[in-house]
Amino acid sequence: VGIVRRITEPGGAALADYVRLTDMQLRMSTEVAAGLFVAEGELVVLRALAAGYEPRSVLLSTSRWRLLGAGLRAEIEARPGLRVLVGDDELLREVTGFHVHRGVLASFHRRPLPDAATLLAASERVLVLESVNTHTNVGAIARSAAALGMDALLLDPTSADPLYRRSVRVSMGQVLVLPHARLDPWPAALGQVRGHGYRLALSPTGERSLDTVVPQPGQRVAVLLGAEGTGLSEAAQAEADERVRIPMGGGVDSLNVAVAAALACWVIGRRDPTSRPPGTSA
Ligand SMILES: C[S@@+](CC[C@H](N)C(=O)[O-])C[C@H]1O[C@@H](n2cnc3c(N)ncnc32)[C@H](O)[C@@H]1O
């Protein structure tokens, strides 16, 4: 096993990647500047490794270190230079600011994002997010998009960071698998999406019902989704070929953006309109 260091003090450079993980403002500035992100839980850490992200270190509770699953243990053993930090639950709580109940954290190097034009050229079905600034929504959207046949996620400059710990966790690591890129400047960069294919603006007041949309095999489709409070801006809607609604009843005026995204992926992610979505059987 790599360099296992037993940690007994909350300070020190070795723990710097894990300090005050619940302080979102602090983390957002330090993580991007340092080029790192933090993954939480054995499964998500394994997914990050499988996706080829390079680990900086692993931080484990003492009890988890003893009971570590064979998969993660093997990955650690395969990296003799990896720094493995082990400390008691209380120490982990003191460093991170929360009870790390799964007892597994790992920090990884970020990779440069692909540019939007390259990603669009390589993709057929994409989601485009405008001002979706809640990490949990971005994570939930990525998980649905990966599961339901979408190829990529594009985000305006104000949408939340897909690699922030909570996005990564809610996506169950799918943000590390589904390619994503930023569209910047906004809304001008939406022009790149225009060149890419058919654009649907998802809005509760859309003229067309989602269930009448049947993407054709090989057809490129981009689905635009907007912010929780304000929805898609006029500028973004003006870039769409059609405005599409998910019909609702019960006097409800809109769905949560991640729920709307999942329903849209269910319809748009199908490659063959007569087939079922990926992963399902008749
Ligand atoms: C909470 S909604 C925003 C509500 C906002 N008042 C509006 O009118 O768009 C957040 C995003 O989810 C999507 N959305 C939510 N409910 C929808 C529905 N019934 N039909 C289509 N899109 C919906 C849209 O993309 C919307 O911008």
Side-chain angles (χ1 to χ4, degrees):
V1 175
I3 310 161
V4 180
R5 174 135 37 114
R6 182 147 183 84
I7 304 288
T8 50
E9 295 295 327
L15 289 170
D17 286 1
Y18 305 99
V19 168
R20 285 163 62 189
L21 287 181
T22 53
D23 185 338
M24 193 175 75
Q25 294 304 330
L26 172 86
R27 296 299 308 187
M28 287 319 306
S29 56
T30 56
E31 288 188 10
V32 174
L36 68 87
F37 71 89
V38 172
E40 189 181 351
E42 226 162 308
L43 182 68
V44 174
V45 170
L46 281 171
R47 215 156 261 169
L49 293 169
Y53 283 94
E54 194 193 331
R56 294 161 61 99
S57 65
V58 179
L59 175 60
L60 304 167
S61 67
T62 311
S63 50
R64 175 59 64 179
W65 172 233
R66 285 195 211 103
L67 298 171
L68 200 60
L72 186 52
R73 190 170 286 276
E75 292 289 349
I76 290 174
E77 283 172 0
R79 294 171 171 79
L82 179 63
R83 188 152 57 178
V84 182
L85 310 165
V86 178
D88 289 345
D89 283 347
E90 184 52 26
L91 183 96
L92 265 58
R93 196 197 54 72
E94 213 175 316
V95 173
T96 62
F98 72 108
H99 175 60
V100 187
H101 68 275
R102 293 190 189 92
V104 178
L105 293 168
S107 69
F108 288 87
H109 292 283
R110 285 180 186 239
R111 297 195 290 232
L113 289 183
D115 68 62
T118 309
L119 193 51
L120 282 165
S123 309
E124 194 175 279
R125 309 281 161 89
V126 302
L127 293 182
V128 180
L129 309 185
E130 182 188 48
S131 298
V132 177
N133 50 22
T134 310
H135 291 103
T136 46
N137 280 337
V138 169
I141 289 169
R143 186 174 180 177
S144 298
L148 299 173
M150 305 302 284
D151 300 317
L153 187 61
L154 289 126
L155 305 101
D156 80 321
T158 64
S159 287
D161 179 8
L163 296 189
Y164 182 63
R165 180 179 56 92
R166 297 193 70 200
S167 315
V168 177
R169 192 186 64 206
V170 171
S171 82
M172 286 310 291
Q174 294 304 336
V175 288
L176 308 169
V177 179
L178 184 77
H180 69 271
R182 291 279 177 185
L183 280 168
D184 193 13
W186 188 268
L190 266 176
Q192 295 177 41
V193 182
R194 189 184 317 125
H196 171 75
Y198 187 57
R199 283 147 296 127
L200 297 174
L202 220 59
S203 163
T205 58
E207 290 76 25
R208 182 172 176 185
S209 173
L210 178 66
D211 55 7
T212 67
V213 178
V214 183
Q216 296 307 302
Q219 185 184 15
R220 294 181 141 185
V221 184
V223 180
L224 278 57
L225 291 135
E228 270 303 300
T230 50
L232 279 169
S233 66
E234 291 292 327
Q237 293 191 48
E239 290 289 336
D241 298 304
E242 282 194 279
R243 292 180 350 112
V244 170
R245 72 177 184 286
I246 300 160
M248 296 173 296
V252 178
D253 57 13
S254 70
L255 299 168
N256 165 276
V257 64
V259 172
L263 292 165
C265 294
W266 171 258
V267 172
I268 307 300
R270 298 181 196 200
R271 293 300 191 272
D272 170 356
T274 61
S275 78
R276 302 174 69 84
T280 63
S281 54

